[in-house]
Amino acid sequence: MSAAFLPRLRLVPTLDAAGALLLALIWIAPLLFAAWASVHPAGQALDFSGRAPFTLDNYRAAWAAAPWFAYALNTLALVSFTLAGQLLLCTLAGFAFARFHFPGREALFVLVLLQLFILPEVLIVENYAMVSRLALIDTIAGMGLPYVASAFGIFLLRQAFKSVPMELEEAARVEGCSWLGVLWRVYVPAAQPVYLAYALVSVATHWNNFLWPLVVTNTPDTRPLTVGLSLFGAPESGVNISIISAATLMVVAPLMVAFLIFQRQFIQAFLRAGIR
């Protein structure tokens, strides 16, 4: 290796770090602007000189302008209902695909994975007709039911269950455990990091879901935060950019706090799942 090539080789990590820093700044720029605008008066939201006064009036005005507490409760109910259904169905399906041999298992698993290639928006009309026939329009169940069966969750848990040593299952069976007992006492505890990672992804996805809840809800009693925020920020409401920024930060704050708390477990869980 020539001496002239060594400085170029040492420059590569620096360029990688600079590129990563630039991408991070581009990604976080809208959030930083929202944070800046939310603590400044509407007429001075674009004043970056540092002379504009700080104020929390935008947060007080945004909180008083819409039923955010009811929207937050609806969102919590929606993500809880969806996650509970996903964990139940994905655990049973992942366990069946990982440990039971039956005719057509691989073909059926491929059919399940094909769901990953279908955008949810393509199925909105059919889902709306189904939810309407079940009389679940404008309900939490109607918003969450189409997402209860998750191909991603089934795949993730199948991979996690396949990595559990068979000796643990055989020992549990010798002790007299039923199949459900083996699943609950052996496989579920062994896959706890995967459950945590999947739960964070599911909660983030359905916390931010907008189109389907907008279609299936009609009243403030069932609207989640995303739909409430879109109606709150509509031009005809006359809300300024500072108040909209304050409302946006109030909506995303719970997810940001959850990610900051669980970020290490989140990354480690997906690294382990990828290695498997």
Side-chain angles (χ1 to χ4, degrees):
M1 184 177 296
S2 65
F5 185 71
L6 290 177
R8 297 181 186 176
L9 195 61
R10 285 194 290 267
L11 193 60
V12 171
T14 306
L15 291 176
D16 288 344
L21 182 61
L22 178 62
L23 290 176
L25 287 175
I26 294 174
W27 182 82
I28 204 172
L31 189 62
L32 292 178
F33 173 74
W36 173 271
S38 68
V39 293
H40 289 86
Q44 296 172 297
L46 298 178
D47 183 0
F48 301 110
S49 64
R51 295 190 296 270
F54 286 85
T55 178
L56 295 178
D57 290 343
N58 298 317
Y59 287 94
R60 284 190 283 267
W63 182 261
W68 297 109
F69 187 70
Y71 291 159
L73 290 180
N74 294 336
T75 304
L76 284 175
L78 171 62
V79 298
S80 301
F81 174 85
T82 306
L83 180 61
Q86 286 176 336
L87 292 181
L88 177 63
L89 290 183
C90 294
T91 297
L92 295 176
F95 185 56
F97 281 122
R99 286 304 187 220
F100 292 100
H101 297 277
F102 51 88
R105 185 184 69 167
E106 299 305 323
L108 185 59
F109 184 62
V110 171
L111 285 177
V112 171
L113 292 184
L114 286 179
Q115 182 195 349
L116 296 173
F117 298 94
I118 301 174
L119 293 175
E121 289 77 9
V122 175
L123 302 174
I124 276 186
V125 175
E126 184 60 32
N127 285 339
Y128 187 86
M130 179 62 71
V131 169
S132 178
R133 285 195 290 271
L134 294 174
L136 294 176
I137 294 293
D138 203 26
T139 63
I140 298 298
M143 281 191 287
L145 205 55
Y147 298 97
V148 165
S150 167
F152 176 65
I154 293 172
F155 170 76
L156 205 61
L157 290 175
R158 172 184 178 268
Q159 297 304 106
F161 292 157
K162 285 175 73 71
S163 67
V164 177
M166 286 294 294
E167 289 77 8
L168 295 177
E169 175 187 320
E170 292 169 357
R173 293 289 294 171
V174 169
E175 292 294 328
C177 274
S178 63
W179 281 114
L180 286 179
V182 172
L183 173 62
W184 181 249
R185 292 183 172 85
V186 176
Y187 286 95
V188 171
Q192 277 185 355
V194 176
Y195 277 107
L196 176 61
Y198 178 72
L200 287 173
V201 171
S202 174
V203 169
T205 300
H206 298 290
W207 188 285
N208 293 320
N209 193 7
F210 168 70
L211 185 58
W212 174 246
L214 177 67
V215 170
V216 82
T217 57
N218 300 322
T219 64
D221 295 335
T222 54
R223 282 177 187 146
L225 283 167
T226 50
V227 178
L229 180 62
S230 68
L231 298 176
F232 175 78
E236 58 269 20
S237 65
V239 179
N240 60 51
I241 188 65
S242 296
I243 296 181
I244 292 176
S245 298
T248 302
L249 289 179
M250 288 193 301
V251 170
V252 303
L255 278 183
M256 293 176 61
V257 171
F259 179 76
L260 291 175
I261 293 175
F262 297 108
Q263 59 176 325
R264 177 171 296 181
Q265 294 88 339
F266 180 76
I267 295 172
Q268 288 179 348
F270 268 100
L271 285 176
R272 291 173 185 168
I275 291 172
R276 287 166 182 162

